[in-house]
mmCIF file with all atom_site columns, all heavy atoms in Angstrom:
data_model
loop_
_atom_site.group_PDB
_atom_site.id
_atom_site.type_symbol
_atom_site.label_atom_id
_atom_site.label_alt_id
_atom_site.label_comp_id
_atom_site.label_asym_id
_atom_site.label_entity_id
_atom_site.label_seq_id
_atom_site.pdbx_PDB_ins_code
_atom_site.Cartn_x
_atom_site.Cartn_y
_atom_site.Cartn_z
_atom_site.occupancy
_atom_site.B_iso_or_equiv
_atom_site.pdbx_formal_charge
_atom_site.auth_seq_id
_atom_site.auth_comp_id
_atom_site.auth_asym_id
_atom_site.auth_atom_id
_atom_site.pdbx_PDB_model_num
ATOM 1   N N   . PRO F 1 1  ? -16.416 -9.877  -8.625  1.00 91.00 ? 367 PRO F N   1
ATOM 2   C CA  . PRO F 1 1  ? -17.686 -10.370 -9.165  1.00 91.00 ? 367 PRO F CA  1
ATOM 3   C C   . PRO F 1 1  ? -17.881 -10.144 -10.659 1.00 91.00 ? 367 PRO F C   1
ATOM 4   O O   . PRO F 1 1  ? -18.631 -10.873 -11.305 1.00 91.00 ? 367 PRO F O   1
ATOM 5   C CB  . PRO F 1 1  ? -18.742 -9.602  -8.356  1.00 91.00 ? 367 PRO F CB  1
ATOM 6   C CG  . PRO F 1 1  ? -18.020 -8.417  -7.791  1.00 91.00 ? 367 PRO F CG  1
ATOM 7   C CD  . PRO F 1 1  ? -16.611 -8.848  -7.600  1.00 91.00 ? 367 PRO F CD  1
ATOM 8   N N   . THR F 1 2  ? -17.205 -9.143  -11.229 1.00 96.00 ? 368 THR F N   1
ATOM 9   C CA  . THR F 1 2  ? -17.329 -8.868  -12.662 1.00 96.00 ? 368 THR F CA  1
ATOM 10  C C   . THR F 1 2  ? -15.946 -8.743  -13.281 1.00 96.00 ? 368 THR F C   1
ATOM 11  O O   . THR F 1 2  ? -14.967 -8.436  -12.589 1.00 96.00 ? 368 THR F O   1
ATOM 12  C CB  . THR F 1 2  ? -18.110 -7.554  -12.918 1.00 96.00 ? 368 THR F CB  1
ATOM 13  O OG1 . THR F 1 2  ? -17.446 -6.483  -12.223 1.00 96.00 ? 368 THR F OG1 1
ATOM 14  C CG2 . THR F 1 2  ? -19.546 -7.668  -12.414 1.00 96.00 ? 368 THR F CG2 1
ATOM 15  N N   . SER F 1 3  ? -15.857 -8.967  -14.590 1.00 96.00 ? 369 SER F N   1
ATOM 16  C CA  . SER F 1 3  ? -14.554 -8.932  -15.267 1.00 96.00 ? 369 SER F CA  1
ATOM 17  C C   . SER F 1 3  ? -13.996 -7.520  -15.383 1.00 96.00 ? 369 SER F C   1
ATOM 18  O O   . SER F 1 3  ? -12.783 -7.334  -15.559 1.00 96.00 ? 369 SER F O   1
ATOM 19  C CB  . SER F 1 3  ? -14.659 -9.557  -16.657 1.00 96.00 ? 369 SER F CB  1
ATOM 20  O OG  . SER F 1 3  ? -15.588 -8.839  -17.441 1.00 96.00 ? 369 SER F OG  1
ATOM 21  N N   . GLN F 1 4  ? -14.869 -6.534  -15.302 1.00 97.00 ? 370 GLN F N   1
ATOM 22  C CA  . GLN F 1 4  ? -14.393 -5.152  -15.220 1.00 97.00 ? 370 GLN F CA  1
ATOM 23  C C   . GLN F 1 4  ? -15.445 -4.318  -14.507 1.00 97.00 ? 370 GLN F C   1
ATOM 24  O O   . GLN F 1 4  ? -16.613 -4.669  -14.467 1.00 97.00 ? 370 GLN F O   1
ATOM 25  C CB  . GLN F 1 4  ? -14.069 -4.571  -16.588 1.00 97.00 ? 370 GLN F CB  1
ATOM 26  C CG  . GLN F 1 4  ? -15.160 -4.622  -17.625 1.00 97.00 ? 370 GLN F CG  1
ATOM 27  C CD  . GLN F 1 4  ? -14.650 -4.094  -18.964 1.00 97.00 ? 370 GLN F CD  1
ATOM 28  O OE1 . GLN F 1 4  ? -13.485 -4.290  -19.328 1.00 97.00 ? 370 GLN F OE1 1
ATOM 29  N NE2 . GLN F 1 4  ? -15.503 -3.426  -19.688 1.00 97.00 ? 370 GLN F NE2 1
ATOM 30  N N   . GLY F 1 5  ? -15.002 -3.230  -13.917 1.00 97.00 ? 371 GLY F N   1
ATOM 31  C CA  . GLY F 1 5  ? -15.951 -2.406  -13.179 1.00 97.00 ? 371 GLY F CA  1
ATOM 32  C C   . GLY F 1 5  ? -15.281 -1.191  -12.578 1.00 97.00 ? 371 GLY F C   1
ATOM 33  O O   . GLY F 1 5  ? -14.078 -0.966  -12.733 1.00 97.00 ? 371 GLY F O   1
ATOM 34  N N   . ARG F 1 6  ? -16.083 -0.413  -11.875 1.00 97.00 ? 372 ARG F N   1
ATOM 35  C CA  . ARG F 1 6  ? -15.596 0.797   -11.189 1.00 97.00 ? 372 ARG F CA  1
ATOM 36  C C   . ARG F 1 6  ? -15.880 0.658   -9.698  1.00 97.00 ? 372 ARG F C   1
ATOM 37  O O   . ARG F 1 6  ? -16.991 0.273   -9.305  1.00 97.00 ? 372 ARG F O   1
ATOM 38  C CB  . ARG F 1 6  ? -16.270 2.047   -11.741 1.00 97.00 ? 372 ARG F CB  1
ATOM 39  C CG  . ARG F 1 6  ? -15.971 3.319   -10.949 1.00 97.00 ? 372 ARG F CG  1
ATOM 40  C CD  . ARG F 1 6  ? -16.391 4.581   -11.685 1.00 97.00 ? 372 ARG F CD  1
ATOM 41  N NE  . ARG F 1 6  ? -15.501 4.815   -12.840 1.00 97.00 ? 372 ARG F NE  1
ATOM 42  C CZ  . ARG F 1 6  ? -15.537 5.914   -13.594 1.00 97.00 ? 372 ARG F CZ  1
ATOM 43  N NH1 . ARG F 1 6  ? -16.418 6.872   -13.331 1.00 97.00 ? 372 ARG F NH1 1
ATOM 44  N NH2 . ARG F 1 6  ? -14.711 6.052   -14.613 1.00 97.00 ? 372 ARG F NH2 1
ATOM 45  N N   . LEU F 1 7  ? -14.884 0.966   -8.883  1.00 98.00 ? 373 LEU F N   1
ATOM 46  C CA  . LEU F 1 7  ? -15.069 0.987   -7.440  1.00 98.00 ? 373 LEU F CA  1
ATOM 47  C C   . LEU F 1 7  ? -15.040 2.434   -6.968  1.00 98.00 ? 373 LEU F C   1
ATOM 48  O O   . LEU F 1 7  ? -14.104 3.182   -7.273  1.00 98.00 ? 373 LEU F O   1
ATOM 49  C CB  . LEU F 1 7  ? -13.962 0.202   -6.728  1.00 98.00 ? 373 LEU F CB  1
ATOM 50  C CG  . LEU F 1 7  ? -13.771 -1.275  -7.106  1.00 98.00 ? 373 LEU F CG  1
ATOM 51  C CD1 . LEU F 1 7  ? -12.676 -1.904  -6.250  1.00 98.00 ? 373 LEU F CD1 1
ATOM 52  C CD2 . LEU F 1 7  ? -15.073 -2.047  -6.963  1.00 98.00 ? 373 LEU F CD2 1
ATOM 53  N N   . THR F 1 8  ? -16.085 2.836   -6.246  1.00 98.00 ? 374 THR F N   1
ATOM 54  C CA  . THR F 1 8  ? -16.170 4.182   -5.674  1.00 98.00 ? 374 THR F CA  1
ATOM 55  C C   . THR F 1 8  ? -16.412 4.050   -4.180  1.00 98.00 ? 374 THR F C   1
ATOM 56  O O   . THR F 1 8  ? -17.412 3.455   -3.761  1.00 98.00 ? 374 THR F O   1
ATOM 57  C CB  . THR F 1 8  ? -17.302 4.994   -6.323  1.00 98.00 ? 374 THR F CB  1
ATOM 58  O OG1 . THR F 1 8  ? -17.093 5.051   -7.743  1.00 98.00 ? 374 THR F OG1 1
ATOM 59  C CG2 . THR F 1 8  ? -17.356 6.408   -5.779  1.00 98.00 ? 374 THR F CG2 1
ATOM 60  N N   . ASP F 1 9  ? -15.501 4.559   -3.393  1.00 98.00 ? 375 ASP F N   1
ATOM 61  C CA  . ASP F 1 9  ? -15.600 4.464   -1.938  1.00 98.00 ? 375 ASP F CA  1
ATOM 62  C C   . ASP F 1 9  ? -15.203 5.784   -1.301  1.00 98.00 ? 375 ASP F C   1
ATOM 63  O O   . ASP F 1 9  ? -14.622 6.658   -1.949  1.00 98.00 ? 375 ASP F O   1
ATOM 64  C CB  . ASP F 1 9  ? -14.664 3.371   -1.400  1.00 98.00 ? 375 ASP F CB  1
ATOM 65  C CG  . ASP F 1 9  ? -15.067 1.972   -1.842  1.00 98.00 ? 375 ASP F CG  1
ATOM 66  O OD1 . ASP F 1 9  ? -16.135 1.504   -1.417  1.00 98.00 ? 375 ASP F OD1 1
ATOM 67  O OD2 . ASP F 1 9  ? -14.305 1.361   -2.624  1.00 98.00 ? 375 ASP F OD2 1
ATOM 68  N N   . THR F 1 10 ? -15.519 5.912   -0.015  1.00 98.00 ? 376 THR F N   1
ATOM 69  C CA  . THR F 1 10 ? -15.006 7.026   0.782   1.00 98.00 ? 376 THR F CA  1
ATOM 70  C C   . THR F 1 10 ? -13.942 6.467   1.708   1.00 98.00 ? 376 THR F C   1
ATOM 71  O O   . THR F 1 10 ? -14.188 5.495   2.434   1.00 98.00 ? 376 THR F O   1
ATOM 72  C CB  . THR F 1 10 ? -16.139 7.685   1.598   1.00 98.00 ? 376 THR F CB  1
ATOM 73  O OG1 . THR F 1 10 ? -17.151 8.153   0.700   1.00 98.00 ? 376 THR F OG1 1
ATOM 74  C CG2 . THR F 1 10 ? -15.607 8.860   2.409   1.00 98.00 ? 376 THR F CG2 1
ATOM 75  N N   . LEU F 1 11 ? -12.752 7.051   1.662   1.00 98.00 ? 377 LEU F N   1
ATOM 76  C CA  . LEU F 1 11 ? -11.638 6.563   2.464   1.00 98.00 ? 377 LEU F CA  1
ATOM 77  C C   . LEU F 1 11 ? -11.253 7.573   3.536   1.00 98.00 ? 377 LEU F C   1
ATOM 78  O O   . LEU F 1 11 ? -11.278 8.787   3.307   1.00 98.00 ? 377 LEU F O   1
ATOM 79  C CB  . LEU F 1 11 ? -10.413 6.285   1.577   1.00 98.00 ? 377 LEU F CB  1
ATOM 80  C CG  . LEU F 1 11 ? -10.585 5.287   0.422   1.00 98.00 ? 377 LEU F CG  1
ATOM 81  C CD1 . LEU F 1 11 ? -9.252  5.042   -0.257  1.00 98.00 ? 377 LEU F CD1 1
ATOM 82  C CD2 . LEU F 1 11 ? -11.190 3.968   0.901   1.00 98.00 ? 377 LEU F CD2 1
ATOM 83  N N   . LEU F 1 12 ? -10.885 7.042   4.696   1.00 97.00 ? 378 LEU F N   1
ATOM 84  C CA  . LEU F 1 12 ? -10.450 7.883   5.809   1.00 97.00 ? 378 LEU F CA  1
ATOM 85  C C   . LEU F 1 12 ? -9.092  7.393   6.287   1.00 97.00 ? 378 LEU F C   1
ATOM 86  O O   . LEU F 1 12 ? -8.913  6.200   6.559   1.00 97.00 ? 378 LEU F O   1
ATOM 87  C CB  . LEU F 1 12 ? -11.466 7.805   6.954   1.00 97.00 ? 378 LEU F CB  1
ATOM 88  C CG  . LEU F 1 12 ? -11.172 8.688   8.179   1.00 97.00 ? 378 LEU F CG  1
ATOM 89  C CD1 . LEU F 1 12 ? -11.249 10.170  7.818   1.00 97.00 ? 378 LEU F CD1 1
ATOM 90  C CD2 . LEU F 1 12 ? -12.148 8.356   9.309   1.00 97.00 ? 378 LEU F CD2 1
ATOM 91  N N   . LYS F 1 13 ? -8.141  8.304   6.398   1.00 96.00 ? 379 LYS F N   1
ATOM 92  C CA  . LYS F 1 13 ? -6.792  7.929   6.834   1.00 96.00 ? 379 LYS F CA  1
ATOM 93  C C   . LYS F 1 13 ? -6.589  8.223   8.314   1.00 96.00 ? 379 LYS F C   1
ATOM 94  O O   . LYS F 1 13 ? -6.943  9.308   8.796   1.00 96.00 ? 379 LYS F O   1
ATOM 95  C CB  . LYS F 1 13 ? -5.732  8.679   6.010   1.00 96.00 ? 379 LYS F CB  1
ATOM 96  C CG  . LYS F 1 13 ? -4.303  8.261   6.357   1.00 96.00 ? 379 LYS F CG  1
ATOM 97  C CD  . LYS F 1 13 ? -3.277  8.821   5.388   1.00 96.00 ? 379 LYS F CD  1
ATOM 98  C CE  . LYS F 1 13 ? -1.890  8.269   5.711   1.00 96.00 ? 379 LYS F CE  1
ATOM 99  N NZ  . LYS F 1 13 ? -0.862  8.763   4.787   1.00 96.00 ? 379 LYS F NZ  1
ATOM 100 N N   . ASP F 1 14 ? -6.032  7.247   9.020   1.00 95.00 ? 380 ASP F N   1
ATOM 101 C CA  . ASP F 1 14 ? -5.619  7.422   10.412  1.00 95.00 ? 380 ASP F CA  1
ATOM 102 C C   . ASP F 1 14 ? -4.127  7.728   10.391  1.00 95.00 ? 380 ASP F C   1
ATOM 103 O O   . ASP F 1 14 ? -3.304  6.841   10.141  1.00 95.00 ? 380 ASP F O   1
ATOM 104 C CB  . ASP F 1 14 ? -5.904  6.141   11.203  1.00 95.00 ? 380 ASP F CB  1
ATOM 105 C CG  . ASP F 1 14 ? -5.548  6.267   12.683  1.00 95.00 ? 380 ASP F CG  1
ATOM 106 O OD1 . ASP F 1 14 ? -4.628  7.052   13.005  1.00 95.00 ? 380 ASP F OD1 1
ATOM 107 O OD2 . ASP F 1 14 ? -6.170  5.584   13.521  1.00 95.00 ? 380 ASP F OD2 1
ATOM 108 N N   . GLU F 1 15 ? -3.789  8.987   10.618  1.00 92.00 ? 381 GLU F N   1
ATOM 109 C CA  . GLU F 1 15 ? -2.386  9.416   10.509  1.00 92.00 ? 381 GLU F CA  1
ATOM 110 C C   . GLU F 1 15 ? -1.493  8.721   11.540  1.00 92.00 ? 381 GLU F C   1
ATOM 111 O O   . GLU F 1 15 ? -0.332  8.437   11.274  1.00 92.00 ? 381 GLU F O   1
ATOM 112 C CB  . GLU F 1 15 ? -2.282  10.942  10.671  1.00 92.00 ? 381 GLU F CB  1
ATOM 113 C CG  . GLU F 1 15 ? -2.981  11.739  9.575   1.00 92.00 ? 381 GLU F CG  1
ATOM 114 C CD  . GLU F 1 15 ? -2.296  11.646  8.225   1.00 92.00 ? 381 GLU F CD  1
ATOM 115 O OE1 . GLU F 1 15 ? -1.151  11.145  8.157   1.00 92.00 ? 381 GLU F OE1 1
ATOM 116 O OE2 . GLU F 1 15 ? -2.907  12.066  7.227   1.00 92.00 ? 381 GLU F OE2 1
ATOM 117 N N   . LYS F 1 16 ? -2.040  8.444   12.727  1.00 91.00 ? 382 LYS F N   1
ATOM 118 C CA  . LYS F 1 16 ? -1.236  7.833   13.792  1.00 91.00 ? 382 LYS F CA  1
ATOM 119 C C   . LYS F 1 16 ? -0.766  6.435   13.409  1.00 91.00 ? 382 LYS F C   1
ATOM 120 O O   . LYS F 1 16 ? 0.389   6.076   13.607  1.00 91.00 ? 382 LYS F O   1
ATOM 121 C CB  . LYS F 1 16 ? -2.036  7.784   15.095  1.00 91.00 ? 382 LYS F CB  1
ATOM 122 C CG  . LYS F 1 16 ? -2.136  9.124   15.809  1.00 91.00 ? 382 LYS F CG  1
ATOM 123 C CD  . LYS F 1 16 ? -2.822  8.972   17.150  1.00 91.00 ? 382 LYS F CD  1
ATOM 124 C CE  . LYS F 1 16 ? -2.901  10.324  17.862  1.00 91.00 ? 382 LYS F CE  1
ATOM 125 N NZ  . LYS F 1 16 ? -3.624  10.199  19.158  1.00 91.00 ? 382 LYS F NZ  1
ATOM 126 N N   . SER F 1 17 ? -1.681  5.631   12.858  1.00 92.00 ? 383 SER F N   1
ATOM 127 C CA  . SER F 1 17 ? -1.330  4.247   12.514  1.00 92.00 ? 383 SER F CA  1
ATOM 128 C C   . SER F 1 17 ? -0.923  4.097   11.052  1.00 92.00 ? 383 SER F C   1
ATOM 129 O O   . SER F 1 17 ? -0.519  3.020   10.619  1.00 92.00 ? 383 SER F O   1
ATOM 130 C CB  . SER F 1 17 ? -2.514  3.322   12.812  1.00 92.00 ? 383 SER F CB  1
ATOM 131 O OG  . SER F 1 17 ? -3.627  3.662   11.986  1.00 92.00 ? 383 SER F OG  1
ATOM 132 N N   . ASN F 1 18 ? -1.047  5.201   10.272  1.00 91.00 ? 384 ASN F N   1
ATOM 133 C CA  . ASN F 1 18 ? -0.771  5.181   8.835   1.00 91.00 ? 384 ASN F CA  1
ATOM 134 C C   . ASN F 1 18 ? -1.564  4.072   8.139   1.00 91.00 ? 384 ASN F C   1
ATOM 135 O O   . ASN F 1 18 ? -1.034  3.308   7.335   1.00 91.00 ? 384 ASN F O   1
ATOM 136 C CB  . ASN F 1 18 ? 0.726   5.018   8.558   1.00 91.00 ? 384 ASN F CB  1
ATOM 137 C CG  . ASN F 1 18 ? 1.066   5.260   7.092   1.00 91.00 ? 384 ASN F CG  1
ATOM 138 O OD1 . ASN F 1 18 ? 0.407   6.048   6.408   1.00 91.00 ? 384 ASN F OD1 1
ATOM 139 N ND2 . ASN F 1 18 ? 2.065   4.566   6.578   1.00 91.00 ? 384 ASN F ND2 1
ATOM 140 N N   . THR F 1 19 ? -2.845  3.983   8.496   1.00 95.00 ? 385 THR F N   1
ATOM 141 C CA  . THR F 1 19 ? -3.750  3.030   7.847   1.00 95.00 ? 385 THR F CA  1
ATOM 142 C C   . THR F 1 19 ? -4.964  3.780   7.318   1.00 95.00 ? 385 THR F C   1
ATOM 143 O O   . THR F 1 19 ? -5.324  4.852   7.818   1.00 95.00 ? 385 THR F O   1
ATOM 144 C CB  . THR F 1 19 ? -4.226  1.934   8.820   1.00 95.00 ? 385 THR F CB  1
ATOM 145 O OG1 . THR F 1 19 ? -4.828  2.551   9.958   1.00 95.00 ? 385 THR F OG1 1
ATOM 146 C CG2 . THR F 1 19 ? -3.068  1.042   9.255   1.00 95.00 ? 385 THR F CG2 1
ATOM 147 N N   . VAL F 1 20 ? -5.583  3.190   6.306   1.00 97.00 ? 386 VAL F N   1
ATOM 148 C CA  . VAL F 1 20 ? -6.739  3.795   5.653   1.00 97.00 ? 386 VAL F CA  1
ATOM 149 C C   . VAL F 1 20 ? -7.891  2.803   5.707   1.00 97.00 ? 386 VAL F C   1
ATOM 150 O O   . VAL F 1 20 ? -7.686  1.594   5.593   1.00 97.00 ? 386 VAL F O   1
ATOM 151 C CB  . VAL F 1 20 ? -6.400  4.154   4.185   1.00 97.00 ? 386 VAL F CB  1
ATOM 152 C CG1 . VAL F 1 20 ? -7.601  4.747   3.467   1.00 97.00 ? 386 VAL F CG1 1
ATOM 153 C CG2 . VAL F 1 20 ? -5.211  5.119   4.136   1.00 97.00 ? 386 VAL F CG2 1
ATOM 154 N N   . SER F 1 21 ? -9.102  3.314   5.884   1.00 97.00 ? 387 SER F N   1
ATOM 155 C CA  . SER F 1 21 ? -10.274 2.430   5.923   1.00 97.00 ? 387 SER F CA  1
ATOM 156 C C   . SER F 1 21 ? -11.405 3.009   5.084   1.00 97.00 ? 387 SER F C   1
ATOM 157 O O   . SER F 1 21 ? -11.460 4.217   4.838   1.00 97.00 ? 387 SER F O   1
ATOM 158 C CB  . SER F 1 21 ? -10.742 2.204   7.366   1.00 97.00 ? 387 SER F CB  1
ATOM 159 O OG  . SER F 1 21 ? -10.963 3.441   8.012   1.00 97.00 ? 387 SER F OG  1
ATOM 160 N N   . VAL F 1 22 ? -12.285 2.114   4.628   1.00 97.00 ? 388 VAL F N   1
ATOM 161 C CA  . VAL F 1 22 ? -13.486 2.527   3.900   1.00 97.00 ? 388 VAL F CA  1
ATOM 162 C C   . VAL F 1 22 ? -14.539 2.931   4.926   1.00 97.00 ? 388 VAL F C   1
ATOM 163 O O   . VAL F 1 22 ? -14.818 2.179   5.865   1.00 97.00 ? 388 VAL F O   1
ATOM 164 C CB  . VAL F 1 22 ? -14.013 1.376   3.012   1.00 97.00 ? 388 VAL F CB  1
ATOM 165 C CG1 . VAL F 1 22 ? -15.333 1.765   2.363   1.00 97.00 ? 388 VAL F CG1 1
ATOM 166 C CG2 . VAL F 1 22 ? -12.984 1.007   1.943   1.00 97.00 ? 388 VAL F CG2 1
ATOM 167 N N   . VAL F 1 23 ? -15.099 4.124   4.766   1.00 97.00 ? 389 VAL F N   1
ATOM 168 C CA  . VAL F 1 23 ? -16.106 4.639   5.704   1.00 97.00 ? 389 VAL F CA  1
ATOM 169 C C   . VAL F 1 23 ? -17.349 5.084   4.932   1.00 97.00 ? 389 VAL F C   1
ATOM 170 O O   . VAL F 1 23 ? -17.349 5.123   3.696   1.00 97.00 ? 389 VAL F O   1
ATOM 171 C CB  . VAL F 1 23 ? -15.543 5.820   6.525   1.00 97.00 ? 389 VAL F CB  1
ATOM 172 C CG1 . VAL F 1 23 ? -14.400 5.363   7.423   1.00 97.00 ? 389 VAL F CG1 1
ATOM 173 C CG2 . VAL F 1 23 ? -15.075 6.958   5.613   1.00 97.00 ? 389 VAL F CG2 1
ATOM 174 N N   . ARG F 1 24 ? -18.400 5.404   5.678   1.00 97.00 ? 390 ARG F N   1
ATOM 175 C CA  . ARG F 1 24 ? -19.644 5.872   5.053   1.00 97.00 ? 390 ARG F CA  1
ATOM 176 C C   . ARG F 1 24 ? -19.437 7.221   4.378   1.00 97.00 ? 390 ARG F C   1
ATOM 177 O O   . ARG F 1 24 ? -18.700 8.065   4.895   1.00 97.00 ? 390 ARG F O   1
ATOM 178 C CB  . ARG F 1 24 ? -20.765 5.987   6.088   1.00 97.00 ? 390 ARG F CB  1
ATOM 179 C CG  . ARG F 1 24 ? -21.406 4.659   6.483   1.00 97.00 ? 390 ARG F CG  1
ATOM 180 C CD  . ARG F 1 24 ? -22.776 4.886   7.102   1.00 97.00 ? 390 ARG F CD  1
ATOM 181 N NE  . ARG F 1 24 ? -22.665 5.745   8.286   1.00 97.00 ? 390 ARG F NE  1
ATOM 182 C CZ  . ARG F 1 24 ? -22.521 5.277   9.518   1.00 97.00 ? 390 ARG F CZ  1
ATOM 183 N NH1 . ARG F 1 24 ? -22.458 3.987   9.741   1.00 97.00 ? 390 ARG F NH1 1
ATOM 184 N NH2 . ARG F 1 24 ? -22.433 6.110   10.535  1.00 97.00 ? 390 ARG F NH2 1
#
C-alpha cells in the first residue's frame, strides 16, 4: 500500500510442520 514502511508482527513457529504464522 505504501512505497516504504515498517511491518511489525508477532510470529509463531510450528516446529512439526516447519511453518510460521502471524498470530495475535
Side-chain angles (χ1 to χ4, degrees):
T368 56
S369 60
Q370 55 184 35
R372 172 167 289 187
L373 302 183
T374 303
D375 294 293
T376 301
L377 302 185
L378 182 65
K379 184 170 185 179
D380 182 331
E381 296 290 348
K382 284 186 179 178
S383 64
N384 191 31
T385 56
V386 178
S387 54
V388 175
V389 295
R390 282 200 301 267

